[in-house]
Amino acid sequence: MSAYSRSGSLMGRTPPSAQALRNRQRISTWLFAICFMLVGMIALGGYTRLTGSGLSIMDWRPITGMIPPLSHAEWERQFALYKTIPQYKILHDGFGLAGFQQIFWAEWTHRFWGRLMGLVLLVPLVWFSVTGALDRRLALRLVLFFVLGGLQGAIGWFMVASGFNPDSTAVAPVRLVLHLCCAFALYIAILWTALSVRTPQPAFIPATPEVVRVHRMVWAICLLVGITVIAGGFTAGTHAGFAYNTFPLMDGHLIPAGYARLHPFWLNWFQNIPAIQFDHRLLATTTVVIIGLTIALGLRTPQLGKPVQGALAVLGWLVLLQYALGITTLLLVVPVWAGTVHQTCAAIVLTAAIITLHRLRGVGRP
Ligand code: HEM
């Protein structure tokens, strides 16, 4: 019996067999484990970026790159390669082999974790398919996730390669944002699939005007969190967190002077540090306010049921924590620990928003 099908006893009206229930449990647990690993990957990515380690491995060998240098000669070869790029001369000149090894291990662990995730996806996928626990549709979807995971590795390399350009000490912000967005998009897709395998039948929620309004607001929250994450990517990518380290004012103004310095105007959102940082603050504040309003409405709407109200409450606490972490990161001028935790917590806030949305699938669906 397959664990995830639109027809048949699992998703239909007849009760699923005990074996089908067991399969559903095993498959969703496996997919949740991958989600957990993905959050770990986002944290490792943040640490790698914030410690300036991302450019330390200068070749792209998807399979053999799993083996780190095993001899002194190989370490020297890798270090000699690194010495040729501008980042070494501008940021790390003279930090020696021990310093190089430190940044190398951060980047190596990030890449190794990605490969490990590929295996954790592929091996059970083959096993569950061969034993008939997975139906074709779900198997194909998971194969697609595997391919997209590989593509994310290639995008990572595309991002890293931009850091080798003359005079550059970091990767191109647009490529960093692309890498971050793809990681979050893949994460959302796997999380949604895991949740749907675990609870294929949404609980019915009557479509009263209040319920419909909350549903729309939760959609808006997911979108807003996503856009705030993108703005966070530009804040990180342009090192905007190292300027204007005060809150709520920026250099004594609510809206920083020089917000619209560049022409055409839209260029400011991607290249102008005061505008980038201000936009991130504004989007984060809007997100908090909308979540607050949704909670206020949601708690007065008993038809939503306890699971949705509970998810909304958790989302509220998490976004407050994330907001506080953002301010801490800014006021302390981006220490590695704060930047890493802030980036990781963004994934956790998004998780809570997606879980809330998933629990609302039954609106108007008896
Ligand atoms: C809903 C709330 C928020 C979300 C979802 C969010 C999300 C993010 C994300 C995902 C990043 C990192 C992107 C990357 O590494 O590529 C980031 C960076 C940053 N955020 Fe936020 N943020 C929020 C609130 C805030 C607030 C309120 C502040 C401060 C006022 C803030 C300040 C920063 C700073 C300074 C960085 C750059 C840190 C670095 O260079 O690593 N954030 N944000």
Side-chain angles (χ1 to χ4, degrees):
M1 174 57 65
S2 73
Y4 185 75
S5 87
R6 293 233 163 265
S7 58
S9 64
L10 259 181
M11 303 288 288
R13 296 187 192 285
T14 47
S17 69
Q19 180 62 39
L21 283 174
R22 250 196 318 276
N23 282 345
R24 184 196 291 170
Q25 192 80 13
R26 283 156 66 208
I27 290 168
S28 58
T29 304
W30 160 52
L31 294 176
F32 282 127
I34 293 173
C35 289
F36 191 70
M37 287 184 81
L38 260 162
V39 175
M41 187 70 172
I42 289 168
L44 276 172
Y47 178 81
T48 305
R49 175 177 60 74
L50 286 151
T51 50
S53 309
L55 303 182
S56 59
I57 304 182
M58 297 200 40
D59 37 30
W60 164 245
R61 290 177 290 134
I63 307 290
T64 52
M66 199 181 300
I67 303 163
L70 296 174
S71 63
H72 187 72
E74 180 56 15
W75 274 116
E76 287 293 357
R77 186 191 74 81
Q78 294 269 2
F79 188 26
L81 262 179
Y82 180 67
K83 280 183 188 165
T84 62
I85 66 165
Q87 187 192 62
Y88 171 73
K89 293 184 190 88
I90 300 169
L91 282 188
H92 291 144
D93 196 10
F95 74 164
L97 185 61
F100 171 70
Q101 283 171 328
Q102 218 169 346
I103 64 166
F104 181 96
W105 283 120
E107 172 66 5
W108 183 85
T109 310
H110 185 52
R111 294 189 192 190
F112 179 77
W113 196 253
R115 291 178 172 108
L116 193 65
M117 272 194 324
L119 274 182
V120 172
L121 179 57
L122 190 64
V123 174
L125 173 57
V126 172
W127 172 254
F128 284 132
S129 303
V130 169
T131 55
L134 270 179
D135 77 5
R136 236 174 89 84
R137 250 177 95 240
L138 181 57
L140 281 177
R141 191 194 286 199
L142 297 178
V143 168
L144 177 69
F145 291 160
F146 180 77
V147 173
L148 290 177
L151 192 67
Q152 169 69 353
I155 292 172
W157 175 248
F158 175 65
M159 171 186 76
V160 166
S162 68
F164 301 145
N165 295 334
D167 295 333
S168 102
T169 57
V171 300
V174 172
R175 295 193 192 186
L176 182 108
V177 172
L178 178 72
H179 187 56
L180 183 78
C181 286
C182 291
F184 274 84
L186 190 57
Y187 175 66
I188 292 171
I190 299 181
L191 178 65
W192 190 269
T193 305
L195 291 166
S196 302
V197 173
R198 180 64 59 105
T199 6
Q201 287 284 24
F204 170 66
I205 302 172
T208 63
E210 291 79 14
V211 165
V212 170
R213 196 168 311 142
V214 169
H215 196 185
R216 285 193 187 136
M217 286 168 93
V218 172
W219 265 110
I221 289 169
C222 292
L223 207 70
L224 264 171
V225 173
I227 300 173
T228 308
V229 165
I230 294 175
F234 278 103
T235 310
T238 56
H239 307 288
F242 292 86
Y244 304 96
N245 299 96
T246 52
F247 188 85
L249 298 184
M250 295 176 69
D251 213 8
H253 305 274
L254 205 54
I255 302 176
Y259 180 98
R261 195 169 48 85
L262 304 180
H263 300 281
F265 179 73
W266 58 265
L267 218 53
N268 290 287
W269 301 336
F270 309 104
Q271 291 181 10
N272 184 14
I273 283 178
I276 288 170
Q277 202 200 103
F278 176 77
D279 290 347
H280 186 51
R281 292 174 182 217
L282 184 65
L283 283 161
T285 308
T286 311
T287 308
V288 168
V289 170
I290 300 288
I291 291 178
L293 291 175
T294 312
I295 292 174
L297 181 60
L299 294 184
R300 283 190 285 114
T301 311
Q303 295 93 329
L304 285 170
K306 289 276 175 252
V308 175
Q309 290 181 323
L312 273 174
V314 171
L315 176 61
W317 285 114
L318 284 172
V319 83
L320 285 181
L321 175 68
Q322 173 68 348
Y323 199 87
L325 278 168
I327 296 174
T328 308
T329 306
L330 185 73
L331 296 186
L332 299 182
V333 197
V334 199
V336 172
W337 70 268
T340 306
V341 177
H342 182 57
Q343 177 160 323
T344 312
C345 193
I348 297 171
V349 170
L350 196 67
T351 306
I354 294 294
I355 289 176
T356 312
L357 189 64
H358 194 267
R359 289 186 179 178
L360 282 161
R361 274 177 319 148
V363 173
R365 285 167 61 185

